[in-house]
Amino acid sequence: MTTDPTVVLDLIEAFRHSKTMFTAVSMGVFDALAEAPATAATLAARLGMDLSALERLLDGCVGLGLLLKADGLYRNTGPADAYLCRNSPQTMAGYILYSDRVLYPIWGNLESAMREGTNRWGQTFGLDGPLFSAFFRTDEALREFILGMHGFGLLTSPAVVNGFDLSRFRRFVDLGGATGHLAMAAKQRYPEMSAAVFDLPRVIGFAQEFVDGVDLVAGDFFADPLPDADLYGVGRILHDWSEEKIERLLDKVYAALPDGGGLLIAEKLLDEDKSGPVPTLMQSLNMLVVTEGRERTLSEYDTLLRRAGFLSVDGRKTGTPLDVVLA
C-alpha cells in the first residue's frame, strides 16, 4: 500500500517559501516594484544584487503568487502591494522583517527549547536581561516590531471589537496597546466610547504618529496604577507571560474595574482538545522560543479569569489571526 507523501513534501518546502518572501521584503524588491514594473537587470542594478541570483528570487516570487511576470517585466500582485511594501498603510513588512531577523534564527534552536523548556534569546543572540529587552534594544528594532504588530492589528482589531456587544461600556483602555489599532477600532465601532492606550513610554512615543481620537498614557501595566476604565483590553499580551505574572495582572485589572466592568482579550484560541487550529499550535511553539508563555484554550482562560474574580467568561472565533474573549 502506498501512502501519499504530500504533507511531508510540503513541510520540507515550507521554510523555503517563507525565506524567499522574507528576503525579497528585506532587500526592497516589492518597494522598488511598487514604483514601476521593472526587468531583473534594472532591479539588480538598483538594488545592488547579482543578476542571475535575483532572477531566481524574482521567479520564485512569481511562483509563490507575490509577483507577476510578462515580457520580461516584473510587477507586484495586489497582496504584495498591500502587505509587503513598507509605505502601504496595511503593510506587514515590519512583522516579516522581525520574522526574518529574529524568529527565523531563534526557531533554529527549537530542539534546545524542547530539552530546557525556556526561550532561546540567550542561546541565539547572546542577549541577557528582562524578557523583551531584545525587542527594544534600539529605536529601530522597537519601531520594526511595533510596525509588525500594527500590520496584524489592522487585520484583526475590527473583528475583535465586533465579537461582542460592547455598547454598555463607556471607557476602554488597551493595556500594551502600542499603535492604538484596537482602541481606534473600538472607538470607530462605538463612537460614544472614549478610548486610550496604556503602554511603555518609548512605545507611546512611536504611537503618536498612528493614533487618532485616542488618548495616550505612558506606564507599565505590571508596575504602575492602571488608568480608570470600565473595559480594559489586552491584545497579544497574556500569551507572553508565565501563569504567575498573568494572575498578577488579572488580579490588578479586576481590582481596578468598577462593578459590571469587563476585560476584552485578543488571542489565538486553541481547540479544547488542542488538536488545532494549526496557526495557534505553531504560535504556541513560537511563544516557547521567544517568551515565557503559550497559547490557551477558552476553558484555560476561563479558569484564570474566574480565579481573578470574573463571573462570566465567553469566547468567539473571529475568522482572523486573533480570536476574542470577554470576561
Side-chain angles (χ1 to χ4, degrees):
M1 182 179 69
T2 59
T3 302
D4 186 356
T6 300
V7 63
V8 174
L9 295 175
D10 285 348
L11 290 172
I12 289 172
E13 292 283 335
F15 82 93
R16 303 179 187 186
H17 295 193
S18 299
K19 188 60 174 175
T20 297
M21 181 180 71
F22 293 170
T23 300
V25 170
S26 180
M27 301 193 79
V29 168
F30 302 106
D31 295 318
L33 290 175
E35 298 177 12
T39 65
T42 299
L43 284 174
R46 176 175 176 180
L47 301 176
M49 298 186 196
D50 176 82
L51 175 57
S52 177
L54 178 59
E55 283 182 320
R56 295 187 219 181
L57 182 71
L58 294 172
D59 289 337
C61 289
V62 172
L64 293 173
L66 303 175
L67 295 179
L68 300 172
K69 181 182 180 182
D71 300 322
L73 289 175
Y74 295 89
R75 69 181 69 239
N76 289 341
T77 61
D81 268 334
Y83 302 117
L84 305 184
C85 296
R86 288 170 173 82
N87 291 332
S88 167
Q90 301 167 275
T91 186
M92 298 184 71
Y95 195 79
I96 289 167
L97 294 173
Y98 166 72
S99 297
D100 189 28
R101 297 166 186 173
V102 176
L103 298 185
Y104 190 82
I106 209 169
W107 267 73
N109 290 313
L110 182 60
E111 278 190 40
S112 298
M114 293 297 105
R115 296 188 180 95
E116 299 177 25
T118 56
N119 69 68
R120 299 291 96 195
W121 286 105
Q123 181 182 5
T124 309
F125 300 108
L127 295 168
D128 296 318
L131 189 61
F132 295 120
S133 61
F135 291 178
F136 305 145
R137 62 192 183 280
T138 66
D139 285 347
E140 180 183 359
L142 174 61
R143 180 180 176 81
E144 185 175 290
F145 181 73
I146 289 173
L147 286 175
M149 294 300 99
H150 182 73
F152 263 97
L154 293 179
L155 290 175
T156 59
S157 289
V160 167
V161 299
N162 284 324
F164 294 96
D165 180 3
L166 305 177
S167 59
R168 67 185 183 276
F169 300 108
R170 290 291 172 262
R171 174 68 171 173
F172 175 64
V173 174
D174 189 12
L175 306 177
T179 57
H181 46 80
L182 184 58
M184 287 188 289
K187 179 75 174 173
Q188 184 174 9
R189 177 69 178 83
Y190 302 99
E192 300 304 313
M193 180 187 289
S194 67
V197 171
F198 184 67
D199 214 321
L200 299 171
R202 286 181 67 203
V203 177
I204 291 296
F206 284 110
Q208 293 175 2
E209 66 185 89
F210 295 95
V211 297
D212 182 19
V214 169
D215 299 330
L216 295 174
V217 184
D220 180 334
F221 53 63
F222 281 125
D224 299 321
L226 303 181
D228 290 339
D230 62 350
L231 178 65
Y232 290 107
V234 281
R236 294 170 71 103
I237 296 292
L238 299 185
H239 73 170
D240 290 335
W241 304 104
S242 66
E243 298 282 309
E244 182 274 327
K245 288 181 180 176
I246 291 173
E247 290 177 357
R248 180 152 47 98
L249 179 58
L250 292 179
D251 287 345
K252 187 173 184 177
V253 168
Y254 184 82
L257 284 168
D259 289 345
L263 174 63
L264 192 71
I265 299 169
E267 296 282 8
K268 295 176 183 287
L269 287 176
L270 283 166
D271 295 340
E272 286 300 321
D273 65 359
K274 298 188 178 179
S275 63
V278 170
T280 311
L281 296 170
M282 296 300 101
Q283 180 69 348
S284 201
L285 283 173
N286 190 60
M287 304 320 289
L288 170 64
V289 295
V290 299
T291 72
E292 301 172 0
R294 61 186 178 89
E295 305 304 327
R296 293 175 172 82
T297 65
L298 179 58
S299 63
E300 288 174 326
Y301 279 116
D302 184 271
T303 298
L304 287 168
L305 289 158
R306 290 182 186 276
R307 192 181 300 155
F310 291 93
L311 300 179
S312 173
V313 180
D314 195 6
R316 306 277 169 81
K317 295 290 183 73
T318 69
T320 75
L322 288 183
D323 302 311
V324 58
V325 175
L326 179 63

